[in-house]
């Protein structure tokens, strides 16, 4: 969970780097931000985007006098919390008003009335916890498969997952895709990329990251980073979006004070 305060314009826009989580933006500032997707569509205000949103590097956020809370939800709980299946969030972002109706307006007003980031985080945390408790969770087998992919940093073989579940590859693909929002192989690739790119940001060499991350060589890593971000591994290190958080909620990490006001862990 992170809090953004952007008093001036986002010069050049903020590149959205794909992440293996469902992204929720809760806005309450004087002016809503605008997210422009890779098809040129504009989305204003609070929104929700599925895992991997921003792949290809063509998604950017713009705005001035923007204040918002960003939450990254594991796809294994996102459908329960949001009341929408992650598969329905693939592609373009969805307005939070369309998902939550009047509740989205109420949370916006309450966040705007609170003066401290700690209290805003606490309010958001309580909201998510309440929604999580009130609805049925994702299929435990699918949640287990997702968690295995995350724990194994995207290196687990999908046929091994299916075998451990006693499912066919086709059944795993269908159940996983319908509840998580992407096929298991694509999810593993996204998790592997996310782990690798954060190691690069931490200062590790591309050679070491490639060797440890399951890539054939540095060229393979380079192609993967280019495919997800539209830029090279050397350039992507300066992307502010990568310093927001490195895991889905809950999480901790350092952030850039020029863009992020404060952050906390649940």
């Amino acid at each position: 969970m992170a809090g953004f305060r952007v008093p001036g314009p986002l010069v050049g826009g903020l590149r959205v780097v794909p992440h293996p989580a469902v992204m929720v933006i809760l806005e309450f500032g004087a002016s809503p931000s605008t997210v422009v997707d890779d098809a040129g569509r504009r989305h204003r205000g609070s929104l929700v985007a599925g895992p991997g949103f921003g792949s290809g590097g063509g998604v950017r956020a713009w705005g001035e006098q923007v204040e918002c809370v960003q939450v990254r939800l594991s796809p294994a709980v996102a459908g329960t919390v949001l009341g929408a299946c992650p598969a329905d969030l693939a592609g373009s972002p969805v307005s939070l008003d369309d998902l939550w109706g009047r509740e989205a307006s109420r949370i916006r007003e309450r966040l705007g009335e609170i003066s401290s980031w700690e209290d805003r985080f606490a309010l958001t945390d309580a909201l998510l916890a309440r929604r999580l408790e009130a609805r049925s969770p994702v299929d435990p087998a699918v949640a287990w498969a997702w968690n295995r992919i995350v724990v194994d940093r995207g290196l687990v073989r999908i046929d091994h997952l299916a075998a451990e579940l006693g499912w066919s590859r086709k059944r795993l693909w269908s159940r996983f895709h319908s509840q998580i929002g992407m096929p298991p192989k694509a999810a593993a690739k996204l998790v592997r990329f996310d782990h690798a790119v954060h190691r690069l940001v931490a200062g590790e060499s591309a050679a070491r990251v490639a060797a440890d991350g399951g890539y054939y060589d540095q060229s393979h890593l380079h192609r993967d980073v280019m495919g997800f971000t539209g830029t090279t591994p050397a350039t992507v290190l300066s992307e502010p979006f990568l310093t927001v958080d490195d895991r889905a909620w809950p999480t901790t990490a350092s952030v850039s004070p020029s863009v992020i006001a404060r952050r906390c862990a649940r």
Side-chain angles (χ1 to χ4, degrees):
M1 191 183 301
F4 286 70
R5 177 181 290 121
V6 186
L10 288 169
V11 179
L14 179 67
R15 187 196 305 268
V16 177
V17 177
H19 190 276
V22 173
M23 180 177 68
V24 183
I25 300 294
L26 303 171
E27 289 203 312
F28 56 90
S31 177
S33 65
T34 299
V35 172
V36 182
D37 64 25
D38 51 5
R41 295 181 290 258
R42 294 177 176 270
H43 311 271
R44 289 172 60 82
S46 299
L47 55 84
V48 179
F53 179 64
S55 293
V59 178
R60 289 185 178 271
W62 305 80
E64 185 173 0
Q65 295 185 317
V66 172
E67 288 187 284
C68 65
V69 172
Q70 176 193 268
V71 181
R72 285 176 172 167
L73 292 171
S74 164
V77 302
T80 304
V81 171
L82 297 172
C85 179
D88 297 331
L89 304 175
S92 296
V94 175
S95 167
L96 194 65
D97 290 329
D98 291 340
L99 285 182
W100 288 0
R102 292 183 179 179
E103 186 175 8
S105 298
R106 287 195 294 269
I107 189 66
R108 184 183 304 117
E109 292 173 0
R110 293 181 66 187
L111 287 171
E113 292 168 354
I114 297 172
S115 59
S116 76
W117 283 103
E118 289 84 356
D119 289 343
R120 287 169 182 151
F121 292 142
L123 173 65
T124 304
D125 196 56
L127 168 70
L128 298 176
R130 184 175 70 250
R131 294 182 66 90
L132 182 63
E133 293 172 356
R135 293 168 174 80
S136 300
V138 70
D139 182 334
V142 172
W144 175 87
W146 168 261
N147 290 330
R148 273 291 306 278
I149 289 173
V150 172
V151 169
D152 290 346
R153 299 172 179 173
L155 301 181
V156 64
R157 289 179 58 89
I158 304 306
D159 54 347
H160 290 175
L161 285 181
E164 289 188 60
L165 287 168
W167 290 358
S168 66
R169 284 179 59 93
K170 183 177 180 180
R171 184 183 183 190
L172 174 60
W173 189 97
S174 176
R175 297 282 289 275
F176 192 99
H177 193 190
S178 67
Q179 296 190 49
I180 299 299
M182 59 175 52
K185 187 174 181 178
K189 183 178 180 180
L190 178 59
V191 168
R192 181 179 64 177
F193 154 77
D194 181 68
H195 180 70
V197 78
H198 279 95
R199 288 184 64 181
L200 292 173
V201 170
E204 297 188 46
S205 71
R208 171 58 63 185
V209 172
D212 293 346
Y215 294 94
Y216 297 122
D217 51 28
Q218 284 184 243
S219 295
H220 185 199
L221 172 63
H222 186 281
R223 291 194 300 272
D224 214 37
V225 172
M226 283 289 295
F228 276 113
T229 69
T231 189
T232 66
T235 303
V236 80
L237 303 185
S238 62
E239 291 294 337
F241 210 82
L242 283 172
T243 67
V244 176
D245 61 30
D246 59 352
R247 292 175 295 167
W249 171 66
T251 181
T252 57
S254 60
V255 294
S256 168
S258 63
V259 178
I260 315 300
R262 288 288 299 279
R263 61 160 308 130
C264 74
R266 181 174 184 268

